[in-house]
Amino acid sequence: MAASAVGGTAMLAAVGSTLLLNYCTNPYVHSITKSSSDNTLTITQANMLGMRKQTSVCMDTQCIRPDQEKGTNLRPFCNFIGNGQPFYIHGEVFDDKKILKKLLGRKLTESEMVGRAGDKAAFSISLSLTLLAPLPSLAVSGGGTDFASMNISGKDFSNVDTSFKGKDFTEVVAKGTNFANSNLQGCRFFHSFLMDANFEGADLRGASLEKTNLEGVSLKNANLGSAYFSQSLKEVDNLSGANMAEASFPPNLLPILCEREDVLASEITRQTLGCE
């Protein structure tokens, strides 16, 4: 009886702490993409299992500061409300300062104006580790420390079927690393150094490659469906045959990508990019 009571108490404490942490950190914004045709923002977040969700918000009519909505000003990790949902932007690493200022509804601080490139990655890693402490079996899907911050330059990770699926490569140094024909679905390469890496024929569906150095990288014949990119996508050396269906990247890159010779020569890449 006593053992059951102790076990039950421990379980309640673990579940309760996990739910509390999820409540406090769930509003954290991973990325924001602004539509080129209107003021709609696509806000990407990740839950405690590492699953991404996207919310569309009209910046003009549906975004307000927490102190403008009764009962929300005391919520932790919340600096703007969209569609009645709380969000938190880490201002130092948010690139578009004009949008940031409008969302926060105030003058930006000095640190927010200057920015600190390493803060977001560091925050993401520590947040993942904290959330996953009560649930160690979920370390892979939640973005733990699989390869994070490691130097794997020149390694041969090619032709790997499933063991890399969902792994965390955050801030990894992988110059010239070979990932050809490997299953990298859902992997995190956020803020990584991938110069001259080879992803030819790799399955990168749903992978995160934001804030990543992609100079000289080959994505030839790669499946990039629903993958996430930032401005560095234009640095890729080869996009020929790549499937870009539902991939997310800054809208201003579309005309640049559609004028590339490797894209023009590949029907599947042109079609999935939406080139006219």
Side-chain angles (χ1 to χ4, degrees):
M1 181 69 71
S4 298
V6 172
T9 302
M11 182 175 294
L12 285 174
V15 173
S17 62
T18 301
L19 292 176
L20 179 61
L21 285 169
N22 183 58
Y23 171 80
C24 292
T25 58
N26 188 55
Y28 185 74
V29 173
H30 185 273
S31 65
I32 295 180
T33 303
K34 184 179 183 296
S35 170
S36 58
S37 58
D38 54 32
N39 280 328
T40 300
L41 302 177
T42 300
I43 301 174
T44 302
Q45 298 169 287
N47 64 20
M48 62 186 298
L49 298 180
M51 300 175 63
R52 291 173 183 256
K53 67 173 183 176
Q54 293 185 323
T55 305
S56 294
V57 173
C58 179
M59 188 165 59
D60 289 336
T61 61
Q62 297 170 332
C63 290
I64 60 175
R65 298 193 307 275
D67 58 5
Q68 294 175 322
E69 183 166 290
K70 185 177 180 181
T72 62
N73 58 313
L74 295 179
R75 196 193 197 289
F77 289 103
C78 173
N79 50 18
F80 80 96
I81 306 292
N83 284 349
Q85 180 177 339
F87 295 100
Y88 179 80
I89 302 179
H90 197 52
E92 285 80 0
V93 294
F94 189 73
D95 292 332
D96 195 322
K97 302 305 180 183
K98 185 177 180 180
I99 292 180
L100 179 63
K101 184 176 180 180
K102 189 166 185 177
L103 290 178
L104 298 183
R106 59 171 172 76
K107 184 178 179 180
L108 301 183
T109 65
E110 183 177 351
S111 61
E112 287 172 337
M113 287 298 296
V114 175
R116 295 192 293 258
D119 285 354
K120 187 172 183 179
F123 181 87
S124 299
I125 296 171
S126 61
L127 175 60
S128 299
L129 291 173
T130 301
L131 287 175
L132 294 169
L135 301 168
S137 62
L138 300 177
V140 172
S141 60
T145 57
D146 305 309
F147 293 93
S149 301
M150 293 179 62
N151 189 337
I152 55 174
S153 296
K155 301 292 185 181
D156 185 3
F157 289 161
S158 62
N159 300 298
V160 177
D161 187 15
T162 59
S163 60
F164 284 162
K165 187 176 179 179
K167 293 291 186 179
D168 187 3
F169 291 87
T170 299
E171 288 194 316
V172 75
V173 177
K175 183 176 181 180
T177 302
N178 186 10
F179 293 98
N181 302 309
S182 288
N183 187 339
L184 301 167
Q185 291 183 54
C187 287
R188 291 168 52 87
F189 287 92
F190 180 80
H191 215 277
S192 295
F193 186 81
L194 303 178
M195 179 181 288
D196 299 329
N198 180 18
F199 289 91
E200 183 173 343
D203 189 345
L204 284 158
R205 284 176 292 174
S208 170
L209 293 107
E210 298 110 321
K211 304 288 185 182
T212 297
N213 186 316
L214 296 175
E215 184 178 350
V217 167
S218 175
L219 294 174
K220 182 179 180 180
N221 298 326
N223 190 340
L224 307 174
S226 300
Y228 295 82
F229 296 92
S230 53
Q231 294 289 342
S232 59
L233 178 59
K234 63 179 180 290
E235 301 171 357
V236 168
D237 180 66
N238 194 338
L239 276 171
S240 177
N243 186 337
M244 300 286 294
E246 304 299 325
S248 297
F249 54 87
N252 68 294
L253 290 186
L254 183 58
I256 298 174
L257 297 175
C258 290
E259 292 177 357
R260 291 174 53 127
E261 292 184 4
D262 52 351
V263 172
L264 291 172
S266 173
E267 182 177 0
I268 185 173
T269 308
R270 291 198 316 273
Q271 290 180 348
T272 55
L273 270 174
C275 300
E276 297 180 355

